[in-house]
Amino acid sequence: MSFDTQDSVKGNDPGRVVISAALTGALTTRDQCEAIPYTPAEIAEEAAAAREAGAAVAHIHARTDEGDPTFSTETYREIYEEVRDRTDIIINFSTGAVDEPVETRTDYIREVSPDVAALNMGSMNYAKYSDRREDFVFDQVFDNSFSEIQAFLSAMNDAGVKPELECFDTGHIGNIRPLVKQGKLTHPIQFSLIMGVLGGIPATVENLAHQVRQLPDDATWQVIGISRDQWPLVGAALSMGGNVRVGLEDNFYLPEGEMAESNADLVARAARMARDVGREPATPDEAREIMEVPE
């Protein structure tokens, strides 16, 4: 069966794969991986290198120079300017947080206007458990009410920012229904299917196929596999006609188990895997057309 005849392709391009690079995250530290970028200039350098390796999108959480999460509009503005000075990669800002006011997280969306912004589509337990320690590494409730989702959508719509719907479970996909009815969310919709977070859907190929079946026919979608589950899911998504996200936010390791030295290392491997199944990494311009991201 060719990619063109697979229902799982949905609104994606069967010949081109959009590779996103999640550069830093909010919880990862240099104690875990020395390559994590913190400053706006470091994040921008990683974005430019990821672009050269085959990424079309950079997903970004702002950090202080010491590595702590920050939601400062000025820091996000500096990141945007530093990235744009170096590369044409599509800029995607995170809005996810625990115990951070919505107003803080919508301010930088309205003021800086990235190309894309992540929109978390439901509440959940959000945890990591260590089998070795037999204890939780962290244990949080990730609260994303419909009123908050609507506030983020309003900010994105006002700023002309494309929402990227982050769905950690099947119910999160179904949460689009009232938002589409209200006209706050319009087709085609971009989905990120996040798999492998404790509290969300487990990271299996069967579950990925199930998630994709729930999507609207014209949806564009990517898979985000957490930790070492990332590579089997990348392989499955590429074969299904999906887009993929890699990067040090989600996973530090190459498939062989060696720690990556940069985000570009992970992107380069995803690009190689894409070519192995007959697909080429999309350029940022091609990705804008595929996902209908405004200039």
Side-chain angles (χ1 to χ4, degrees):
M1 180 183 289
S2 70
F3 285 115
D4 291 309
T5 60
Q6 290 183 177
D7 291 339
S8 58
V9 173
K10 302 287 183 174
N12 291 338
D13 185 326
R16 299 278 169 177
V17 55
V18 178
I19 300 175
S20 295
L23 302 178
T24 182
L27 301 175
T28 51
T29 70
R30 286 181 182 158
D31 290 337
Q32 299 167 304
C33 176
E34 293 181 358
I36 300 292
Y38 287 169
T39 70
E42 290 169 350
I43 290 170
E45 290 294 333
E46 284 289 294
R51 162 71 171 98
E52 289 303 307
V57 181
H59 176 74
I60 296 168
H61 292 250
R63 310 288 281 267
T64 67
D65 290 356
E66 294 73 36
D68 296 320
T70 179
F71 301 92
S72 160
T73 295
E74 289 311 310
T75 303
Y76 270 106
R77 180 178 285 110
E78 186 177 354
I79 291 170
Y80 183 93
E81 292 171 353
E82 292 276 2
V83 173
R84 196 49 75 230
D85 282 347
R86 290 167 172 79
T87 179
D88 62 345
I89 200 165
I90 294 170
I91 297 174
N92 175 333
F93 283 168
S94 172
T95 63
V98 175
D99 298 328
E100 189 69 30
V102 173
E103 293 76 15
T104 305
R105 292 178 280 151
T106 54
D107 183 67
Y108 59 79
I109 297 301
R110 295 182 190 276
E111 294 297 322
V112 183
S113 297
D115 302 303
V116 178
L119 178 63
N120 294 285
M121 286 301 294
S123 300
M124 60 183 293
N125 288 331
Y126 193 101
K128 181 177 181 180
Y129 183 79
S130 170
D131 289 321
R132 180 177 59 83
R133 291 191 232 165
E134 296 186 349
D135 197 7
F136 286 92
V137 178
F138 58 83
D139 177 14
Q140 302 171 332
V141 174
F142 192 27
D143 185 13
N144 297 285
S145 67
F146 278 110
S147 62
E148 292 186 356
I149 293 170
Q150 289 173 310
F152 283 118
L153 267 178
S154 294
M156 293 176 197
N157 290 337
D158 290 347
V161 173
K162 175 83 174 185
E164 171 229 343
L165 277 54
E166 296 203 341
C167 299
F168 293 78
D169 217 335
T170 300
H172 293 180
I173 296 172
N175 286 347
I176 69 169
R177 187 176 62 83
L179 305 170
V180 172
K181 287 278 190 182
Q182 292 172 337
K184 294 180 178 178
L185 184 62
T186 58
H187 293 282
I189 302 170
Q190 164 68 15
F191 289 86
S192 288
L193 306 175
I194 303 167
M195 308 184 72
V197 173
L198 184 60
I201 194 166
T204 68
V205 173
E206 291 86 353
N207 281 342
L208 175 60
H210 171 72
Q211 291 288 78
V212 173
R213 281 193 293 269
Q214 315 308 308
L215 302 178
D217 290 340
D218 61 350
T220 54
W221 64 274
Q222 68 175 357
V223 73
I224 302 174
I226 302 302
S227 192
R228 301 192 194 205
D229 290 321
Q230 182 172 87
W231 295 112
L233 291 175
V234 165
L238 290 171
S239 298
M240 294 168 65
N243 300 320
V244 298
R245 188 177 101 177
V246 295
L248 296 173
E249 173 178 347
D250 304 322
N251 168 48
F252 303 145
Y253 299 96
L254 293 163
E256 297 82 6
E258 178 185 355
M259 183 173 284
E261 295 182 0
S262 68
N263 283 286
D265 284 353
L266 300 168
V267 171
R269 180 57 62 92
R272 190 179 91 182
M273 292 172 67
R275 294 186 177 105
D276 284 345
V277 297
R279 302 177 69 195
E280 278 295 316
T283 66
D285 284 344
E286 290 168 339
R288 284 182 186 276
E289 184 175 352
I290 292 165
M291 300 188 299
E292 298 194 15
V293 175
E295 291 283 353

